[in-house]
Amino acid sequence: MVKESKPTGGLEWRINIPNGTTSKVLVPESKSHFRVWNGLRGLIVGFMSRIWKFFEKAWSLAVREPKKAIHGLKVGMALSLVSLFYYMRPLYNGVGGNAMWAVMTVVVVFEYTVGATLCKCVNRAIGTFLAGALGLGVHWIANQSGEKFEPIVLQISVFLLAAAATFSRFIPAIKARFDYGAMIFILTFSLVSVSGYRVDKLFELAHHRLSTIAIGTSLCILTGMLFCPVWAGNELHYLITNNMEKLAASLDGCLVEYFGIHANVNAKGEDSDKVLQGYKCVLNSKATEEVMANFAKWEPAHGRFYFRHPWNEYLKVGAFLRKCAYCIETLNVSTNSDTEAPDILNKHFSKFCISLSSCSSDVLKELAVIMHTMTKSTKIDLMVHEMNNAVQELQCALKSLSKETIIGDSKSGIEEGNKSTTVVPLMEIVPIVYISTLLIEIAARIEKSVEAVNELAIKAEFEQESTKKSKKIQNQQNPNQPSQGNQEDLTMKTLQKV
Amino acid sequence: MVKESKPTGGLEWRINIPNGTTSKVLVPESKSHFRVWNGLRGLIVGFMSRIWKFFEKAWSLAVREPKKAIHGLKVGMALSLVSLFYYMRPLYNGVGGNAMWAVMTVVVVFEYTVGATLCKCVNRAIGTFLAGALGLGVHWIANQSGEKFEPIVLQISVFLLAAAATFSRFIPAIKARFDYGAMIFILTFSLVSVSGYRVDKLFELAHHRLSTIAIGTSLCILTGMLFCPVWAGNELHYLITNNMEKLAASLDGCLVEYFGIHANVNAKGEDSDKVLQGYKCVLNSKATEEVMANFAKWEPAHGRFYFRHPWNEYLKVGAFLRKCAYCIETLNVSTNSDTEAPDILNKHFSKFCISLSSCSSDVLKELAVIMHTMTKSTKIDLMVHEMNNAVQELQCALKSLSKETIIGDSKSGIEEGNKSTTVVPLMEIVPIVYISTLLIEIAARIEKSVEAVNELAIKAEFEQESTKKSKKIQNQQNPNQPSQGNQEDLTMKTLQKV
C-alpha cells in the first residue's frame, strides 16, 4: 500500500474503490510512446520555428536592402553564363578543359561592390602572372641543377616564397591592397612549381589558366558594372552623409529628452529611442569606412565621382564625426542620469542649450546637404558663426549665473520674492555646467568636421552653389532664421573673435 | 649680350675675361644627358629607398610580433609537406592526380589563429560535402529529364542555388560562422553540376576531392596546433587585459598632465604621449574582438581555457571598456584645452581628482590582474568601495566649494586674508566641475566593467584567490593603502549607500 501510493512522477489515473481499503493506479500503456512523440514533436516544432525565423530575417534583410538580394541574382547569372563555356564545345575546346578555373574565378572574385571585385580581379591577375613567371624561372633553375637536386630546389623555393609571401600579408601596406594577390601568388607558385614536375606542359597550363581567369574576371566586371552596380565610393559617400544626419538627430534627441522629459514623459517611444541611438552606428564605423575607401580607389569614374576622387578625405571627415559621436555618447548618458538640476535652472538654461544644440545639429544637417548635393554651401560659414554665437551665449548664461543666483550651502532651491534671484546650492548646478560644457565641446568638434568637409569640397571640386538656389533652400530649411542684417551682425562679432 | 645674360634655368659655368667687357657662358654639351641621368638616378634611388623602407617596416614588424613571422614559416612548411604528395608516386596515384586540391586547401585554409583555421576547415568540409551531395542529386534529376532538358535543369539549379547561397552570406548569423562555407558550397556545386556534364565520373571526383581536402585540412590543423600555436581565445584574452592596462595608464596620464603641467612642462615626452594615447586602441577594438571571439568558439580546450569558455562575456567586458574609453577621450581633450581653472582651485581639487583617478586606474589594473591570473580577487570589492569613496569625497569637495569660495562676478580670483576664503568667478570653476564630473562618470563606467568581469569570472570559473596570496600582492602593489580597520569603515559606509 505504502509503495503504491508513492508518486510515480508522471501522468496517472487513480481509482478509489468505495470500500476505502484499496486504490488502484492505472498506468497508461502508451505513456512512453506519448513522451517520445511529444519530445519529437517539440524538437520538430522548435527546429521548424528556427528555420521560419531564419527565413523571416532573410526576407526582412532582402526588403530592407534589395541591393543585396540583387547581388545574389547577379552572382547566379554570372555563374550560369560561365558554365555555358562547358556546354559550348568550340569554346570548351578553346580553353582546353580548364573552364573549371573560370567558374572558380567567378565564385571567388565576384564581390558586393565593384571596387572590391576590381581589386580582387587585378590582384588575381597580377598574382597569377608574377607567380607563373617566377615558377617557370625556378623550374628552369631546378632543371639545370640535375635530376637529384630538382625536387630539393623546388621544395626550398616553395618554402621560402610561401613563407615570405604569407608574412608580407601582415604588413599593413600590403594587407590593405594586395592581401588577396599575395594569397593567389602563393597558390599559383605552389601549383606551378609542384605540378610542373609532373605535367611538363607548363607554358600551355599557364596560358590556359590566364585565359580562363581573363574570361572569369571580365564576366564578373561586366556583370558587376552593368546590372545595378554597387559602387564602394557611392556607399562610402552615403555612409558618411547618413552618419551626419544620425548625429544631428541624436544630438537633438538628447537635448529634447533632457529638457522636455518633465513636460511629456510618455512622448518617448521606440522610434525616438532609435533616433537617439543613431550615434552608436557612428561609433563603430571606422573599419567599414576604411574598407570602403580602399575599394573605392580601385573604381573608375562613376556617377558624380571622378577616378581620383579624394577618398582619403572621407576618412578624415569620418574620424571627426566619430569624435563628435564619442562626445554625444557621454552627453546621452549624462542626460539619462537621475541627477537633475533644479527646474528653475533647467528653464533658464534650456533655451541656451537647446539653441546651441539646434545650431549644432543644423550645421551637421547642412554638412549632410553639402555632401548629398556635392555643392559648396554659401551659408555653412554663417551657420558655424551662429553656432559659435550660441556657444558664447551659453557661456554668458553660465557667467550670468553668478549674478542671478546666490550660491550658498542651502539644501534646496528657494525662489525668493525677487524674480531673478534664486538660492541654489552649487552641487545642483553641476549637471547643467557639465551638459553645457559637453555641448560646447561638441560644437568645437563639429567645427573641425566642417573644416574637413571644406577640405574635401576643395579637393573633390564640389560645385559652387548659386545664390538663388541657396536662398531657396535656406528658406525651406530654416524659416525661423534671423534676418540678414542680424546675421551679418553675428558674423562680424564672430569674425572679430576669430 | 642681353640675351646671353638671360638665365638659362639650368646649371652653367660663366667665365669673366679680365678686360671686363665680355663674359662667356659655357653651356655643357652633355647637359641633356646629365639631366636624364640625374632623373633616372633619382628614380632609382627613390625606388630603392622605398623598397628599403618597406623591408625596414617588415623587419620591425617581425621583431615586434615574431609570431607573425613564425606563421609565415609554418605555412611554408605545410606547403612543402603537402607538395611531397606530388613527389611520392604511391601517394600521388592514391589521390588520382588531384593533389592540386590539397595544395589549394593548405593555401586557402591556413590562417593565423587556430580558431580561424578550424573554422575554415570545417566550413570547407561541410560546404564541399553538402554541395557535392546536392550536385549529385540535381544531376540525377537532370538525367531523368532527358538529354534536351538536362543542361537547362542544371543551369537553373546553378542559378538558383548560387543566388540563394550568395544572399545568405549577407545574413549576420551565416556571415559570422559560415561565410566561407557558403562560398565553398557555391564553388563545389557549380563545379560538380557543370563538370559532371563532361566528366561522367562524378563519384570518383567527389571522393578524390574529399580525400585531398582531408589531407590538406588535417595538415593545416596539425601544423597550426603543434608548432607555436596562436589561439584566437588567448589573443582575445590578452587583448582585453591589455586594453584594461592601457585605459589605466591613459587615465593616470591625463590627470597628471592636467594638474602636473604647471610644475614640470618639459616632463611630457614622446613616451608619456604614447601612454596617454593608449585609450585610442580601445576605441576601435570592437571589430577585432568580435572576430576573435567568433574564432575562439571553434577552438578546443587550450592552456587555461576550456572548450566552452564563455567568450561572449569577453565581448561584454570589451564593450564596457570601450565606454570608458569614450569618456577618457572626452577627458583627454578637455585636459588639453587652454581654458584652465585658477591655480588656487586646481590645488584644492587636484588631490581629490588625482585620488579618484588613481583609485579608478587601480581598479582597472586590478581587473587586468584578475584577467591575467584568472583568479577572483578578494580586494576588488574593497577597491571599488574606495573608488566610490573617492567619488563621494570629490562630490563633497564640489559642495564645499560654496562654503570656501564666494562666487561673485569679479574677473579674477583674489585671495583674501582668510586662508580658506577666495573669490572666484563662476566661469573659472567650470573646467574643474567638468573634469570632476567626467571622472565621476568614468568611475561609474569602470564599476560596470567590474560587474562584467565578475560575471565572466563566475561563468569561466576563475579560481578563488587564497587569502595569503592576496595579501602578498596587496602589499606589493599598494603599500600606502589605509589600514584594514579604516578599509572596513569605508566598506561599511559604501555598503550603507548602496
Side-chain angles (χ1 to χ4, degrees), chain B residues 19 42 56 79 84 108 110 112 124 132 216 377 390 406 416 433 451:
Chain B
N19 64 11
E56 262 185 349
L79 269 178
L84 279 180
V108 174
F110 208 147
Y112 180 54
R124 196 172 175 94
S377 166
I406 300 152
E416 285 183 14
V433 167
E451 283 164 23

Side-chain angles (χ1 to χ4, degrees), chain A residues 236-244 289 314 317-318 321 371:
Chain A
L236 176 62
H237 187 86
Y238 284 105
L239 178 70
I240 297 280
T241 311
N242 278 340
N243 280 355
M244 287 166 176
E289 283 169 18
Y314 284 83
V317 175
L321 290 180
M371 295 291 287

Side-chain angles (χ1 to χ4, degrees), chain A residues 2 45 60 71 173 191 210 225 235 239 276 279-280 405 415:
Chain A
V2 176
V45 167
S60 70
H71 174 69
L191 287 183
L210 280 177
M225 281 169 70
E235 299 282 301
L239 178 70
L276 206 59
Y279 70 90
K280 286 192 180 169
T405 53
E415 208 161 325

Side-chain angles (χ1 to χ4, degrees), chain A residues 80-97 99 215 219, chain B residues 151 155 194 197-198:
Chain A
S80 304
L81 281 177
V82 87
S83 66
L84 279 181
F85 279 94
Y86 253 78
Y87 303 120
M88 288 186 277
R89 194 161 284 272
L91 277 169
Y92 175 67
N93 290 340
V95 293
I215 292 168
L219 201 70
Chain B
Q155 285 273 37
V194 161
Y197 190 62
R198 296 278 161 210

Side-chain angles (χ1 to χ4, degrees), chain B residues 383-430:
Chain B
M383 290 176 104
V384 170
H385 291 159
E386 258 180 77
M387 182 174 76
N388 284 335
N389 204 55
V391 165
Q392 289 240 324
E393 275 173 9
L394 183 56
Q395 279 173 339
C396 285
L398 283 173
K399 271 183 199 164
S400 71
L401 202 62
S402 41
K403 272 187 206 162
E404 288 169 26
T405 54
I406 300 152
I407 294 152
D409 200 30
S410 67
K411 286 289 163 202
S412 66
I414 305 156
E415 205 161 327
E416 285 183 14
N418 186 343
K419 247 189 176 178
S420 66
T421 309
T422 332
V423 180
V424 179
L426 183 69
M427 266 312 278
E428 297 199 354
I429 68 156
V430 167

Side-chain angles (χ1 to χ4, degrees), chain A residues 54 57-59 61-62 65 67-69 71-77 79-81 83-84 86-89 92 100-101 103-105 107-108 110-112 120 151 154-156 158-160 162-164 166-174 183-184 186-187 190-191 193-198 280 283-284 286-287 322-323 326-327 329-330 333-334 395 398-403 405 407-409 411 425-427 429-430 433-434 437-438 441 445, chain B residues 54 57-59 61-62 65 67-69 71-77 79-81 83-84 86-89 92 100-101 103-105 107-108 110-112 120 151 154-155 158-160 162-164 166-174 183-184 186-187 190-191 193-198 280 283-284 286-287 322-323 326-327 329-330 333-334 395 398-403 405 407-409 411 425-427 429-430 433-434 437-438 441 445:
Chain A
F54 175 80
K57 265 187 200 170
W59 180 254
L61 178 69
E65 298 184 66
K67 274 182 189 174
K68 290 185 173 169
H71 174 69
L73 297 177
K74 276 157 72 181
V75 172
M77 198 172 69
L79 269 178
S80 304
L81 281 177
S83 66
L84 279 181
Y86 253 78
Y87 303 120
M88 288 186 277
R89 194 161 284 272
Y92 175 67
M100 188 191 81
W101 291 107
V103 173
M104 205 177 272
T105 304
V107 174
V108 174
F110 207 147
E111 291 280 328
Y112 180 54
K120 275 199 156 180
L154 287 176
Q155 284 274 36
I156 290 175
V158 166
F159 175 78
L160 288 181
T166 304
F167 177 67
S168 80
R169 292 174 71 189
F170 289 116
I171 300 166
I174 300 283
M183 197 182 82
I184 290 295
I186 305 169
L187 179 61
S190 310
L191 287 183
S193 60
V194 162
S195 66
Y197 191 62
R198 297 277 162 214
K280 286 192 180 169
L283 290 176
N284 296 309
K286 194 189 179 203
R322 235 181 339 277
K323 286 197 166 185
Y326 298 150
C327 241
E329 202 265 352
T330 315
V333 172
S334 63
Q395 279 173 337
L398 282 173
K399 271 183 198 165
S400 71
L401 202 60
S402 41
K403 273 187 206 162
T405 53
I407 293 151
D409 200 30
K411 287 287 163 202
L426 184 68
M427 267 311 279
I429 68 156
V430 167
V433 168
Y434 181 57
T437 320
L438 274 175
E441 178 63 31
R445 290 177 184 208
Chain B
F54 175 80
K57 265 187 199 168
W59 181 253
L61 178 69
E65 298 184 66
K67 273 183 191 172
K68 289 185 173 170
H71 174 68
L73 297 178
K74 277 156 71 180
V75 172
M77 197 171 71
L79 269 178
S80 304
L81 281 176
S83 65
L84 279 180
Y86 253 77
Y87 302 120
M88 288 187 277
R89 192 162 286 273
Y92 174 68
M100 188 192 81
W101 291 108
V103 173
M104 203 176 274
T105 303
V107 174
V108 174
F110 208 147
E111 291 279 329
Y112 180 54
K120 276 199 156 179
L154 288 176
Q155 285 273 37
V158 166
F159 175 78
L160 287 181
T166 305
F167 177 68
S168 80
R169 290 173 72 189
F170 289 116
I171 300 166
I174 300 283
M183 196 183 82
I184 289 296
I186 305 169
L187 179 61
S190 311
L191 286 183
S193 60
V194 161
S195 67
Y197 190 62
R198 296 278 161 210
K280 286 192 180 168
L283 290 176
N284 296 308
K286 194 188 178 203
R322 241 186 329 280
K323 287 198 166 183
Y326 298 150
C327 242
E329 203 265 351
T330 315
V333 172
S334 62
Q395 279 173 339
L398 283 173
K399 271 183 199 164
S400 71
L401 202 62
S402 41
K403 272 187 206 162
T405 54
I407 294 152
D409 200 30
K411 286 289 163 202
L426 183 69
M427 266 312 278
I429 68 156
V430 167
V433 167
Y434 181 57
T437 320
L438 275 174
E441 177 64 33
R445 289 176 185 207

Side-chain angles (χ1 to χ4, degrees), chain A residues 104-340:
Chain A
M104 205 177 272
T105 304
V106 170
V107 174
V108 174
V109 151
F110 207 147
E111 291 280 328
Y112 180 54
T113 59
V114 176
T117 309
L118 281 172
C119 172
K120 275 199 156 180
C121 286
V122 172
N123 265 292
R124 195 173 177 94
I126 294 179
T128 307
F129 183 77
L130 273 183
L134 209 63
L136 290 179
V138 168
H139 247 286
W140 184 81
I141 295 171
N143 263 327
Q144 300 294 313
S145 54
E147 206 172 304
K148 201 179 165 188
F149 289 105
E150 195 177 344
I152 297 170
V153 170
L154 287 176
Q155 284 274 36
I156 290 175
S157 69
V158 166
F159 175 78
L160 288 181
L161 279 168
T166 304
F167 177 67
S168 80
R169 292 174 71 189
F170 289 116
I171 300 166
I174 300 283
K175 194 180 175 63
R177 297 202 147 203
F178 302 108
D179 187 59
Y180 184 65
M183 197 182 82
I184 290 295
F185 175 88
I186 305 169
L187 179 61
T188 310
F189 184 79
S190 310
L191 287 183
V192 167
S193 60
V194 162
S195 66
Y197 191 62
R198 297 277 162 214
V199 178
D200 296 330
K201 288 182 190 173
L202 269 183
F203 273 101
E204 205 182 324
L205 183 83
H207 167 237
H208 282 156
R209 248 209 100 177
L210 280 177
S211 57
T212 44
I213 285 177
I215 292 168
T217 49
S218 46
L219 201 70
C220 287
I221 293 172
L222 284 177
T223 320
M225 281 169 70
L226 294 182
F227 302 97
C228 313
V230 180
W231 302 96
N234 219 28
E235 299 282 301
L236 176 62
H237 187 86
Y238 284 105
L239 178 70
I240 297 280
T241 311
N242 278 340
N243 280 355
M244 287 166 176
E245 282 165 1
K246 277 179 189 167
L247 284 186
S250 287
L251 190 54
D252 279 342
C254 269
L255 266 281
V256 166
E257 197 186 2
Y258 183 70
F259 288 110
I261 202 160
H262 314 289
N264 192 357
V265 179
N266 294 326
K268 184 190 161 193
E270 254 186 44
D271 265 2
S272 79
D273 237 22
K274 211 176 158 188
V275 167
L276 206 59
Q277 306 289 314
Y279 70 90
K280 286 192 180 169
C281 303
V282 189
L283 290 176
N284 296 309
S285 61
K286 194 189 179 203
T288 320
E289 283 169 18
E290 278 176 359
V291 168
M292 291 283 181
N294 237 332
F295 289 144
K297 285 173 196 161
W298 292 90
E299 286 173 352
H302 60 275
R304 299 172 295 168
F305 308 108
Y306 300 104
F307 172 54
R308 282 184 166 280
H309 196 74
W311 297 115
N312 279 336
E313 296 298 316
Y314 284 83
L315 295 183
K316 287 179 196 164
V317 175
F320 282 117
L321 290 180
R322 235 181 339 277
K323 286 197 166 185
C324 290
Y326 298 150
C327 241
I328 291 177
E329 202 265 352
T330 315
L331 180 71
N332 186 37
V333 172
S334 63
T335 52
N336 276 330
S337 72
D338 296 332
T339 351
E340 264 173 32

